[in-house]
Amino acid sequence: MQYYDLNYTSNHYVLKNIFKSLSLDRIEYILNQSIIKKFNKNELILNKGTCSDALYILLDGIIHIGYLSTSGRFHAFNFFSEKNLINLLPCLKGHVIDYDYYAFNQVRVLIIPKHIFHQELNDNNKLNEDLLDIVAFRMHHLIEEVKFLHIANLHQKICKTLLSLSKQYGIHHAQGIEILLKISQHDLADLLSSSRQTVNKEVKKLVNLNVIEWQYENIIVKDIEYFKRVLNDI
C-alpha cells in the first residue's frame, strides 16, 4: 500500500460530482485534510467486522466485495467502480462493516477522516440532501435487483449480469464489445450464487448461439441485443 500526493484537478471533480452542494473552497479544505492511498490488486481495503473511522471514496479502479471461505478463497458478490462511495453507512452510523473489500485491480482511494466529514454535514444542510439522494438511489436500485432475482431464471440472470458488465466495463471490439473486467465462470457463479457447473452450461448455450465468446477470463459480447430481448420477456 503506497501513499500519493493529491491531484487537485481530478479529485475536485470527483467530490463535486458526488457532493454537488459543496463549494470549491470546502472541497479543497476536505482534500487538504484527507489522504489518498493506492491499493494493489487483491489487497485488502476494508475488512469485515471492523468500524470505519473515515469515509472511503474510490477514485479509480475496481473493488470487489465478498467474503473469504474456510478454504481461503475469496467469493465476490458485487463490484464497485470508480467515483463511488464505499462505506457510507458504516461511516455515518458507526456500524461494523459487513463484508471484505478488496482491490480487484490497482485502485486509488480517497480517505476522508470521519470527524471532517461529520463537520461538513453539521455545517451544510444541502450536503445532507446530497447523501439522502445517494441513499435513495441505492435503495431503489436494490429493490429492483431483489425483484429481478425473485422472478428471473438463471439464463436471464446471466444475460443481465453480462449486459451490466458490458455497459460498465465494455470497449469496442471488432466482434462486438469486449468486457475489460476479467472474471472467470467461477466468479460469475459466485455473483449469481450458483454452481460453476450450472453456469458453465448456460455460458455454453450463449457461445453456441454466437452471443458471446468466452476464453478463460476474456469475454467478448457479439450480440448485445440478445441480452435485451431476453430481459424484455421478464
Side-chain angles (χ1 to χ4, degrees):
M1 185 166 58
Q2 304 173 21
Y3 290 79
Y4 278 72
D5 292 331
L6 297 176
N7 181 329
Y8 282 121
T9 302
S10 61
N11 298 330
H12 265 87
Y13 171 80
V14 171
L15 283 187
K16 188 62 179 177
N17 189 54
I18 296 173
F19 305 124
K20 297 177 174 55
S21 64
L22 286 180
S23 67
L24 292 179
D25 287 343
R26 296 316 298 169
I27 289 175
E28 184 164 353
Y29 170 76
I30 291 172
L31 290 175
N32 282 328
Q33 302 299 316
S34 305
I35 62 173
I36 288 179
K37 288 184 180 179
K38 176 182 174 183
F39 295 85
N40 295 317
K41 183 177 180 179
N42 295 327
E43 190 171 0
L44 179 66
I45 299 172
L46 289 167
N47 60 307
K48 177 182 178 180
T50 61
C51 293
S52 178
D53 58 358
L55 178 66
Y56 284 54
I57 299 177
L58 181 60
L59 295 175
D60 51 57
I62 302 168
I63 287 175
H64 51 170
I65 308 163
Y67 61 94
L68 285 173
S69 66
T70 54
S71 66
R73 184 176 180 275
F74 183 71
H75 298 266
F77 64 84
N78 200 4
F79 293 89
F80 272 0
S81 298
E82 60 190 45
K83 302 170 184 60
N84 208 325
L85 298 174
I86 301 172
N87 63 328
L88 178 58
L89 287 181
C91 179
L92 284 177
K93 298 299 182 181
H95 297 164
V96 296
I97 297 169
D98 293 329
Y99 298 97
D100 294 317
Y101 293 71
Y102 281 86
F104 185 78
N105 53 13
Q106 191 175 89
V107 305
R108 289 189 313 125
V109 177
L110 175 66
I111 302 176
I112 305 174
K114 185 175 181 176
H115 72 277
I116 295 296
F117 186 59
H118 280 236
Q119 174 189 323
E120 291 300 317
L121 287 174
N122 291 332
D123 295 341
N124 185 350
N125 287 331
K126 289 290 186 181
L127 182 55
N128 285 275
E129 293 179 15
D130 289 343
L131 293 182
L132 182 60
D133 287 342
I134 292 170
V135 172
F137 175 80
R138 288 187 174 182
M139 182 59 68
H140 174 76
H141 177 74
L142 178 61
I143 291 172
E144 290 296 313
E145 286 293 310
V146 171
K147 175 185 174 183
F148 176 81
L149 291 174
H150 274 288
I151 63 177
N153 58 40
L154 181 59
H155 188 78
Q156 292 166 329
K157 291 175 183 178
I158 290 176
C159 288
K160 185 176 187 297
T161 301
L162 293 178
L163 177 62
S164 177
L165 293 177
S166 299
K167 290 179 178 178
Q168 293 182 72
Y169 309 110
I171 62 169
H172 176 73
H173 186 275
Q175 293 179 284
I177 298 172
E178 180 180 3
I179 298 175
L180 292 180
L181 183 67
K182 305 301 182 184
I183 65 172
S184 66
Q185 291 184 30
H186 208 148
D187 294 327
L188 181 61
D190 283 344
L191 286 175
L192 299 173
S193 299
S194 184
S195 70
R196 185 188 63 80
Q197 293 81 3
T198 305
V199 167
N200 179 258
K201 290 179 182 177
E202 294 297 332
V203 168
K204 284 182 177 179
K205 290 179 184 178
L206 291 172
V207 171
N208 291 335
L209 290 170
N210 204 33
V211 175
I212 64 171
E213 180 179 310
W214 193 320
Q215 296 291 334
Y216 301 104
E217 297 182 350
N218 300 310
I219 308 169
I220 297 174
V221 178
K222 297 180 177 180
D223 185 2
I224 199 166
E225 295 301 320
Y226 175 86
F227 295 155
K228 297 176 182 178
R229 291 194 299 271
V230 168
L231 297 176
N232 282 338
D233 293 336
I234 299 177

